[in-house]
Amino acid sequence: MQLENSLAFAQVQDKEDKIAPFRNEFLIPERNGEQLIYFCGNSLGLQPRSAATEISKQLAIWQNHAVEGWFRGEQNWLNYHHEIKELLAPIVGAKPTEVTCMNSLTINLHLLLTSFYQPKGKKIKILMEGGAFPSDQYAIESHVKTRGYEYEDAVIEIYPREGEDILRTEDILSKIEQNQDEIALILFGGLNYYTGQFFDLAAITEAGHQIGAMVGLDLAHAAGNVPLKLHDWGVDFACWCSYKYMNSGPGGIAGIFVHEKHFKTDVNRLAGWWGYQLDKRFKMEKGFVPETGAEGWQVSTSPILLMAAHKAALKIMNDAGFENLRQKSIGLTAYLEFIINKVNEEKGEETFKIITPKNPGARGAQLSIICKENGKQTFDALVAKNIIGDWREPNVIRISPIPLYNTFEEIYKFGQALV
Ligand SMILES: *Cc1c(COP(=O)(O)O)cnc(C)c1O
């Protein structure tokens, strides 16, 4: 399709967008009576209207039934996560038994590393992307240290080639092969938070398995954003947060995936009573017996109020349909790219350099833009015009158009504000 840098064109795209009405399911923040143009859903997704309704419902059960809420009726709190599992599974390409919601992301990463980082003999190393999200770096650092290794001896970080911004798949694969005798675990982000690069997870997983390594993924920026097939790819484990593309609230409950091939084996884990076999959990017996599936990694009592927001948000995603969301997302991001290139043309030079891959299959709902000059000033000027993106030192603006609630018109207006 021929894209155009005009308000009329953008408005036609919005009119033809069959999932446009889902914007009304969200509360769009306002300043001085005007709706913000919110391009920061990759950091904190907007609040679904239904979150308050679902939370109120649970508050009423707490009010009226107190402890009986755990067991009373079919919709009791003990079963509250079941529907969430059903809603999560298709979003990450898993079987419902392979996923559950629990804790928060970094905590879950620690739990899963305890299970799946099993250094043995020469195979002690973890391969990860250089410049991974800091929390992941700290988690890895603390795990190798608690196993008695020096960071430099146990972690391999892979960076883009000199002068390049994103990783080449061929380089990742050859790094895996070169270090095949030493790698115990590959831990990759699904989609790099800084560059917006969506990695070839199927290829990385296959290469990891060929050398006998475990493969785990941090899907914070991928889950609910790009298509995932965790089960079919054979990924060993994964974790993600729900407050970014899943709109489930600040510090919302996170999620994990454990492939069913690990259900039977006697896996190391940090256990708690909420991971105990459900039918015997309340017998309170000695000796931990895990529930089958991802639920066996649960540790603590379900935080029902957080889960209520999560359930409300996932239902909206499910109603919109993930395929529809992805299709619109590709269109929005392509339009954003087009508009930024138009701005560069008008300025007569590449003032805003997009480092996110051009291939729609290698990115999600985010473009990372390097500002050649006056980056922070440009960002502040956007904020003054009620356009909310995300600033990363020293010179990167991340703009994330979300298919559930952003519009083509907002992208057009962003371009106008940049000139
Ligand atoms: C957002 C994000 C986190 C944040 O972790 P929390 O435990 O939820 O604070 C961690 N890792 C990655 C890759 C992220 O994008």
Side-chain angles (χ1 to χ4, degrees):
M1 192 203 326
Q2 196 68 39
L3 302 177
E4 287 172 32
N5 185 16
S6 78
L7 180 61
F9 175 84
Q11 287 175 338
V12 169
Q13 303 312 301
D14 288 326
K15 211 169 258 161
E16 289 175 356
D17 167 19
K18 59 186 176 197
I19 57 169
F22 282 93
R23 179 177 168 88
N24 295 327
E25 306 273 333
F26 290 86
L27 295 158
I28 315 285
E30 295 182 1
R31 293 276 177 283
N32 310 318
E34 216 180 282
Q35 284 187 336
L36 293 184
I37 295 183
Y38 190 77
F39 288 135
C40 210
N42 58 345
S43 185
L44 179 65
L46 291 181
Q47 181 182 147
R49 289 179 193 277
S50 54
T53 319
E54 185 60 31
I55 291 170
S56 300
K57 221 157 97 185
Q58 302 313 316
L59 287 173
I61 294 174
W62 179 18
Q63 176 183 343
N64 296 317
H65 305 289
V67 74
E68 290 183 343
W70 286 108
F71 305 100
R72 209 183 136 273
E74 257 177 46
Q75 291 285 315
N76 65 46
W77 291 333
L78 266 192
N79 290 326
Y80 194 78
H81 60 299
H82 286 164
E83 192 182 351
I84 296 178
K85 285 158 61 93
E86 297 287 337
L87 291 164
L88 273 177
I91 294 175
V92 296
K95 296 183 176 180
T97 49
E98 293 174 316
V99 296
T100 197
C101 58
M102 60 188 215
N103 313 311
S104 46
L105 169 55
T106 309
I107 294 288
N108 288 339
L109 182 57
H110 278 298
L111 295 175
L112 292 166
L113 285 172
T114 300
S115 293
F116 297 107
Y117 173 46
Q118 295 295 346
K120 236 185 245 126
K122 259 180 84 187
K123 275 176 115 53
I124 64 158
K125 294 192 179 178
I126 299 177
L127 175 79
M128 65 190 296
E129 74 211 271
F133 193 89
S135 204
D136 300 36
Q137 295 181 35
Y138 308 148
I140 293 285
E141 182 184 337
S142 62
H143 270 268
V144 298
K145 281 189 178 160
T146 52
R147 314 292 176 101
Y149 305 117
E150 293 298 326
Y151 187 83
E152 293 71 26
D153 298 333
V155 181
I156 305 170
E157 294 176 26
I158 172 162
Y159 284 92
R161 293 183 189 186
E162 188 74 34
E164 297 186 5
D165 298 302
I166 55 176
L167 279 169
R168 297 190 192 197
T169 303
E170 71 212 64
D171 289 355
I172 302 172
L173 301 186
S174 62
K175 195 77 154 188
I176 294 172
E177 211 188 309
Q178 282 160 21
N179 296 279
Q180 56 179 303
D181 298 331
E182 298 178 342
I183 296 175
L185 168 71
I186 295 169
L187 184 86
F188 245 73
L191 191 141
N192 183 273
Y193 80 102
Y194 191 80
T195 63
Q197 180 179 14
F198 177 28
F199 298 111
D200 187 341
L201 302 177
I204 293 171
T205 305
E206 196 192 330
H209 288 162
Q210 257 166 20
I211 63 153
M214 288 279 180
V215 179
L217 302 174
D218 183 331
L219 301 173
H221 280 266
N225 177 18
V226 288
L228 299 166
K229 293 198 167 81
L230 297 183
H231 177 86
D232 290 350
W233 293 337
V235 172
D236 293 288
F237 68 92
C239 48
W240 55 86
C241 57
S242 67
Y243 49 81
K244 291 171 181 165
Y245 292 94
M246 292 200 214
N247 311 308
S248 301
I253 192 161
I256 66 159
F257 164 89
V258 176
H259 198 281
E260 67 180 2
K261 65 190 163 193
H262 297 299
F263 289 177
K264 286 182 223 98
T265 51
D266 188 18
V267 187
N268 265 7
R269 69 184 99 200
L270 295 176
W273 76 318
W274 225 251
Y276 200 93
Q277 265 184 356
L278 181 57
D279 55 354
K280 302 211 183 91
R281 186 180 301 162
F282 297 96
K283 293 202 166 130
M284 316 288 218
E285 284 172 354
K286 218 173 165 46
F288 179 73
V289 185
E291 178 61 279
T292 307
E295 286 181 42
W297 273 264
Q298 291 173 174
V299 178
S300 286
T301 309
S302 298
I304 296 296
L305 299 181
L306 293 181
M307 285 159 70
H310 194 29
K311 189 183 279 193
L314 290 176
K315 276 185 182 166
I316 299 174
M317 276 197 132
N318 185 62
D319 290 348
F322 193 75
E323 297 269 307
N324 295 331
L325 289 170
R326 174 63 175 164
Q327 203 187 345
K328 177 176 173 187
S329 176
I330 288 172
L332 283 174
T333 304
Y335 193 51
L336 178 62
E337 182 177 45
F338 168 80
I339 291 289
I340 292 166
N341 289 334
K342 282 285 163 203
V343 173
N344 284 331
E345 271 174 39
E346 260 176 60
K347 289 187 182 278
E349 59 173 332
E350 200 180 32
T351 311
F352 303 107
K353 182 187 172 207
I354 301 171
I355 57 172
T356 307
K358 286 189 181 22
N359 169 9
R363 68 187 185 192
Q366 171 187 320
L367 293 182
S368 302
I369 306 158
I370 292 186
C371 305
K372 284 271 163 69
E373 52 195 31
N374 305 329
K376 191 62 172 53
Q377 265 165 281
T378 306
F379 180 76
D380 292 341
L382 288 170
V383 175
K385 291 177 187 167
N386 284 348
I387 298 175
I388 310 298
D390 174 271
W391 173 253
R392 291 287 136 165
E393 293 290 347
N395 57 2
V396 169
I397 296 177
R398 298 184 306 168
I399 297 293
S400 186
I402 305 298
L404 271 172
Y405 48 76
N406 284 123
T407 65
F408 288 87
E409 181 169 335
E410 288 177 309
I411 291 171
Y412 168 76
K413 287 181 174 162
F414 168 74
Q416 294 300 296
L418 263 193
V419 199

